[in-house]
Amino acid sequence: MGKVRVRAALGASLVVAVALVAAGTALLLVLKNNLVGQADLQAENAAREVATQIATGKPYGKLDLPDGDDRPVVVLSEDGRVLAAGEDVRAVDGKAVTAQQTPPTGQPRDSDDDDDDREIKPGEVEDKARHTGGTATVGHRTADYRFATVEAKDTQGAKAVVRAGAPLAAEREAVGSVRTAMLIGLPCLLLVVAGVTWLVTRRALRPVEGIRREMAAITASTDLSRRVPEPGSRDEIDRLARTTNETLGALQESVERQRRFVADASHELRSPIASLRTQLEVGIAHPELLDTPGAVEDAVRLQNLAADLLLLARLDAGERPADARIDLAALVREEVSQRVGDRIAVEVGELAGVEVAGSRGQLGRVLGNLLDNAQRHARESVRASVAREGEWAVLRVEDDGPGVPPEERERIFERFVRLDDARSRDDGGAGLGLAIARDVAERHGGTLTVRTGSVFELRLPVA
């Protein structure tokens, strides 16, 4: 269980870590883009304010320029001369602001930069600003800025290029703060997730450990009457516990059934073996008293009982019937024709032509057992018939005997069960015939039941 908890905690932590890293990266990108966008807007506003002053004809020497620390501004002529610059602005993009400065890279704009822009007229400011990143030296300090470039024409038609910047220090500080918080918070959150997952998994698997301990105790004690604890939580573990108890119950029933089977088989074998031994010992001592027919009868009974026990063993082992097509009507005619020594002749009723899939030998055994049972209890008549009802083939064997009481109609199919009026060794058999018949019927996908007092009905799926 410890390994399961470790794997669950590590798995949950890994999933959360991947999710948080992805979410944090996306958050940082969105935050950075928003802050850069705000800087672009601030720079553009500053550039347009200066460009508007130029468009209204205000002399370059009297332009109202922003403070250089907050908004470094440089105004260039069309041929790259510096017309005006903000206070303490010493350089832009590493190039000193001098009277004959070449405009920074990409400035001023070439005439083919954007085919959709119109040519501005005297006294106008262009509609679209261009944003770039760069550096500016104000005083003795160089920092990163976002620059907005706007062109304007004064009232005389002279073009000027205004380039204003907005600092990125605030953006970098904000992004750095968020990054630091995430780097500190992520390990703490992962520890919390791992701890909570460990505790929750341990609590969830506690019933499983209880089931394991109880199963180990049952295995060690071989006491199949014990059951594992059911948590009653109505979840997968509760269903596992219920299924385990059902399996234990089925196993207990199977073991008890096997024990009863061995005990009953031993009891049934003891009588004919003891009788045969007694007759043989008497025959050795007094040959004239040897009951040969009785000895043969006991030997035949032993042979039949051994055959029944062997068939039951094969059925319990899960032997599957052969996949052959069998005509039930022909099977009834063949079985009846071979029963020449019956106390009561078997009457053949309606025989519908219907085929089933299975083992001819095993189904013949079922029919023989049903007819033997009817012969033991019938007064004057025994009747066999075959009919088809939908997708079922129905074989009925009935007699005019006293019938089976309703409360005994299921018990008679248990092994070694004989009703009181069939307890004699000669007439009652070993009590395996009907049990074998039902087992064979179920192996063929069918059923064997007592419909009314003396009518046994075998239902098999039509082939």
Side-chain angles (χ1 to χ4, degrees), residues 65-89:
L65 300 178
D67 181 42
D69 288 332
D70 295 332
R71 303 285 186 273
V73 176
V74 61
V75 181
L76 305 174
S77 65
E78 194 170 10
D79 57 5
R81 291 180 296 108
V82 177
L83 302 177
E87 183 181 359
D88 293 334
V89 177

Side-chain angles (χ1 to χ4, degrees), residues 326-383:
I326 304 161
D327 186 340
L328 284 185
L331 183 66
V332 171
R333 294 191 190 96
E334 180 181 349
E335 180 68 22
V336 171
S337 66
Q338 295 176 359
R339 301 179 70 88
V340 294
D342 283 351
R343 180 174 63 89
I344 300 174
V346 178
E347 178 185 352
V348 177
E350 177 186 357
L351 297 178
V354 57
E355 291 185 340
V356 297
S359 168
R360 185 178 186 86
Q362 291 184 9
L363 293 179
R365 184 67 174 275
V366 172
L367 177 58
N369 289 352
L370 294 179
L371 292 175
D372 288 342
N373 180 73
Q375 288 287 338
R376 282 194 295 269
H377 300 285
R379 294 189 181 94
E380 296 179 355
S381 69
V382 175
R383 186 171 183 269

Side-chain angles (χ1 to χ4, degrees), residues 163-450:
R163 195 169 187 220
L168 292 176
E171 175 265 338
R172 292 187 174 178
E173 182 179 356
V175 173
S177 299
V178 173
R179 185 187 298 113
T180 301
M182 291 178 61
L183 291 176
I184 295 175
L186 179 60
C188 297
L189 183 58
L190 290 180
L191 288 176
V192 172
V193 170
V196 171
T197 304
W198 175 278
L199 294 175
V200 171
T201 306
R202 184 178 68 177
R203 181 178 180 84
L205 293 179
R206 188 177 301 159
V208 178
E209 178 62 19
I211 294 173
R212 187 203 64 80
R213 286 197 301 267
E214 186 63 23
M215 287 296 294
I218 292 173
T219 303
S221 66
T222 67
D223 182 7
L224 297 178
S225 64
R226 299 174 61 173
R227 296 294 181 265
V228 300
E230 297 182 13
S233 53
R234 296 186 178 181
D235 55 8
E236 291 82 357
I237 296 178
D238 184 55
R239 292 196 293 271
L240 171 63
R242 290 202 303 271
T243 303
T244 302
N245 284 335
E246 291 172 0
T247 303
L248 288 173
L251 181 60
Q252 180 186 8
E253 181 180 354
S254 175
V255 171
E256 291 178 352
R257 182 180 179 183
Q258 189 70 21
R259 289 172 179 170
R260 290 195 304 268
F261 177 79
V262 173
D264 291 340
S266 301
H267 177 74
E268 292 293 333
L269 288 170
R270 186 181 298 115
S271 296
I273 290 176
S275 175
L276 183 59
R277 178 180 176 179
T278 300
Q279 294 183 58
L280 293 176
E281 289 176 347
V282 170
I284 292 174
H286 306 281
E288 69 280 2
L289 299 178
L290 177 62
D291 183 9
T292 304
V296 172
E297 182 180 348
D298 285 336
V300 170
R301 185 164 179 243
L302 276 174
Q303 182 181 13
N304 292 336
L305 183 55
D308 288 343
L309 293 175
L310 180 61
L311 177 56
L312 282 174
R314 292 203 307 268
L315 293 176
D316 288 341
E319 179 183 89
R320 297 180 61 85
D323 191 14
R325 298 176 71 90
I326 304 161
D327 186 340
L328 284 185
L331 183 66
V332 171
R333 294 191 190 96
E334 180 181 349
E335 180 68 22
V336 171
S337 66
Q338 295 176 359
R339 301 179 70 88
V340 294
D342 283 351
R343 180 174 63 89
I344 300 174
V346 178
E347 178 185 352
V348 177
E350 177 186 357
L351 297 178
V354 57
E355 291 185 340
V356 297
S359 168
R360 185 178 186 86
Q362 291 184 9
L363 293 179
R365 184 67 174 275
V366 172
L367 177 58
N369 289 352
L370 294 179
L371 292 175
D372 288 342
N373 180 73
Q375 288 287 338
R376 282 194 295 269
H377 300 285
R379 294 189 181 94
E380 296 179 355
S381 69
V382 175
R383 186 171 183 269
S385 62
V386 176
R388 176 167 182 168
E389 297 180 0
E391 296 301 318
W392 294 94
V394 182
L395 169 63
R396 293 187 179 91
V397 175
E398 53 187 302
D399 61 77
D400 59 350
V404 182
E407 65 275 9
E408 302 286 354
R409 290 178 183 175
E410 282 299 316
R411 196 172 74 88
I412 60 173
F413 292 105
E414 297 177 7
R415 298 176 182 183
F416 298 104
V417 169
R418 290 170 293 182
L419 301 186
D420 292 339
D421 61 352
R423 283 291 181 182
S424 71
R425 189 189 71 176
D426 295 334
D427 297 332
L432 292 176
L434 294 180
I436 292 175
R438 171 166 279 190
D439 282 351
V440 171
E442 292 176 350
R443 291 294 190 280
H444 284 74
T447 60
L448 177 62
T449 57
V450 182

Side-chain angles (χ1 to χ4, degrees), residues 115 119 136 212 220 305 459:
D115 295 337
E119 181 67 24
R212 187 203 64 80
L305 183 55
R459 285 179 171 267

